Amino acid sequence: MSMHRKTITLTEQQDNWVKGQIDSGHFGNDSEYIRHLIRQDQQAQEQLFELRQALKKGEASGKSRPLNMTSIKAAGRKRIKAAD
């Protein structure tokens, strides 16, 4: 994988935060920390996309009906008994 050099500008507070993460031993250098943040953002964006897709699917599935909490609880108790 090829690497690309980027120049970023941080506030003093942000720079101190990054240095603190490195000093704590969580990361070896600034680049490792920034790559970690990018990976976290990528995962968060993927999860958000999946959630939005699930919401669209749910909305397209038709009209909702009221929940019957008694039957939901009964089904849960049945599953717990079956697991024992």
Side-chain angles (χ1 to χ4, degrees), residues 51-80:
L51 177 59
R52 286 182 174 143
Q53 293 301 105
L55 288 170
K56 287 179 185 177
K57 184 178 177 182
E59 289 173 347
S61 69
K63 189 170 180 167
S64 63
R65 56 180 189 253
L67 293 176
N68 181 335
M69 291 308 293
T70 303
S71 67
I72 292 171
K73 289 178 183 179
R77 289 184 187 106
K78 185 176 179 181
R79 288 176 71 178
I80 290 171

Side-chain angles (χ1 to χ4, degrees), residues 1-6 35:
M1 178 187 331
S2 66
M3 302 295 266
H4 299 273
R5 181 173 295 276
K6 300 285 183 187
R35 286 192 299 269

Side-chain angles (χ1 to χ4, degrees), residues 4-46:
H4 299 273
R5 181 173 295 276
K6 300 285 183 187
T7 300
I8 62 169
T9 303
L10 303 174
T11 65
E12 185 175 347
Q13 182 184 17
Q14 292 168 333
D15 188 50
N16 289 336
W17 177 264
V18 172
K19 288 176 183 174
Q21 294 300 305
I22 295 164
D23 292 344
S24 69
H26 292 111
F27 302 94
N29 57 45
D30 295 24
S31 293
E32 284 181 17
Y33 184 58
I34 300 300
R35 286 192 299 269
H36 167 75
L37 293 176
I38 291 170
R39 283 190 299 273
Q40 280 187 324
D41 186 52
Q42 288 172 324
Q43 290 171 350
Q45 293 300 320
E46 288 171 12

